[in-house]
Amino acid sequence: MYIGLIAATMYCITALLMGMRLFHQKGPSFAVLWGFAAIALSAHLILLSQSILLEPGQNMSISNVASLVAWLISISMTVGSLAFRNIFLLPVVFGFSTLIILFSLFIPDTHIMHIELKPALISHITLALFAYGCLTIAFLYALQLAYINYRLKHKQASLIDSPLPPLMVVESILFKILLTGTLLLTLSLITGFMFLDNMFVQEQAHKTVFSIIAWVIFCVVLVGHRKWGWRGRPVISATIVGTVFLTIAYFGSRFVKEVLIN
């Protein structure tokens, strides 16, 4: 409980400090920001190890899986921000991680698995988690791209002195992340069909169907961009819709069963 509260508090403080930095260039230094972020990420990782790695198996409840995905997104975005000096999305990411941690602390749940007894299943689960994390990051970049497009279209204040990165840079990153996430999702689906007994049994059917729909959407976007130069609103909308379908696939029925019903 305490380590979780520390992680949530550090995430919240970091998000607030980064928000201050966005609106005031003389705000907290980057060294202070990364220091708080490192504490938050470390505490979150300790919380995950304590929550998931239990003696009878692995507690892969919906709250723990969501927390794991939040950590993957947070550390990926932090590393990316160090490279590009773009912290615009980090307050949103860290705020999301704060809410997920509080959710896992105050609405605990248990779903014990024995992944170590099925080594082949580890590859499927790992690919699925990284695919979802990667495509969620693409979703965030799509939102950022939509905001930049909005400001340019409505001729608001100049973006020269804005903390926002150039539109073409964001668009380039979006397509690279989208391609990586789609490849990971493809491998996740392939390993699922290879290592799971039946991907269309009642417990798995909705996940498989919605995942395939999301995969088709992402593939269409990538092919359309490469062959016909799709950009802008259609790409943004399709990325958002695809991520929504993937979220329903990963968390839909489990949320109903583990949270609403139980």
Side-chain angles (χ1 to χ4, degrees):
M1 171 69 80
Y2 293 112
I3 194 68
L5 291 176
I6 291 173
T9 302
M10 289 298 101
Y11 273 134
C12 190
I13 291 173
T14 308
L16 291 174
L17 292 177
M18 287 184 172
M20 293 171 59
R21 178 77 190 191
L22 286 174
F23 294 102
H24 303 283
Q25 292 300 310
K26 295 183 179 180
S29 68
F30 280 107
V32 172
L33 298 180
W34 302 134
F36 276 107
I39 296 172
L41 290 166
S42 300
H44 193 174
L45 183 60
I46 295 172
L47 174 66
L48 287 170
S49 65
Q50 293 177 348
S51 303
I52 295 177
L53 302 177
L54 303 179
E55 186 173 339
Q58 297 80 37
N59 183 8
M60 299 298 289
S61 66
I62 185 173
S63 56
N64 282 345
V65 173
S67 183
L68 178 57
V69 170
W71 184 82
L72 290 172
I73 293 172
S74 295
I75 193 167
S76 299
M77 292 294 291
T78 300
V79 172
S81 298
L82 282 168
F84 297 106
R85 287 285 174 160
N86 173 24
I87 64 171
F88 184 77
L89 291 172
L90 280 179
V92 177
V93 172
F94 288 160
F96 174 75
S97 294
T98 302
L99 295 177
I100 291 295
I101 290 173
L102 294 176
F103 174 80
S104 65
L105 290 177
F106 295 105
I107 311 179
D109 191 19
T110 303
H111 182 77
I112 300 297
M113 297 180 65
H114 296 277
I115 301 174
E116 72 280 1
L117 300 179
K118 299 179 180 179
L121 190 60
I122 297 176
S123 61
H124 170 67
I125 293 175
T126 302
L127 287 167
L129 289 174
F130 276 100
Y132 182 73
C134 196
L135 290 167
T136 302
I137 292 173
F139 164 80
L140 293 173
Y141 271 95
L143 293 181
Q144 186 179 23
L145 187 62
Y147 179 65
I148 296 174
N149 272 327
Y150 175 83
R151 290 192 60 171
L152 290 173
K153 182 178 180 181
H154 290 80
K155 299 180 181 179
Q156 294 187 0
S158 173
L159 297 178
I160 296 177
D161 298 323
S162 169
L164 289 169
L167 183 143
M168 296 302 293
V169 172
V170 175
E171 189 175 73
S172 175
I173 295 173
L174 168 62
F175 282 111
K176 289 177 182 177
I177 297 175
L178 199 57
L179 176 60
T180 303
T182 304
L183 290 174
L184 289 171
L185 181 59
T186 303
L187 294 174
S188 172
L189 289 170
I190 291 173
T191 53
F193 281 108
M194 288 175 59
F195 301 134
L196 296 179
D197 295 333
N198 188 350
M199 288 277 280
F200 289 99
V201 294
Q202 185 175 359
E203 294 80 7
Q204 295 286 340
H206 88 282
K207 179 179 178 180
T208 302
V209 171
F210 280 107
S211 295
I212 291 175
I213 292 174
W215 177 81
V216 170
I217 291 173
F218 294 133
C219 286
V220 169
V221 170
L222 290 170
V223 172
H225 172 67
R226 185 169 183 82
K227 292 194 67 174
W228 300 294
W230 289 0
R231 298 174 58 193
R233 184 176 297 178
V235 171
I236 294 169
S237 300
T239 302
I240 293 172
V241 171
T243 307
V244 169
F245 273 109
L246 199 60
T247 301
I248 295 173
Y250 281 31
F251 296 104
S253 66
R254 292 192 64 182
F255 181 80
V256 173
K257 291 177 183 178
E258 297 181 25
V259 179
L260 297 182
I261 295 178
N262 293 336

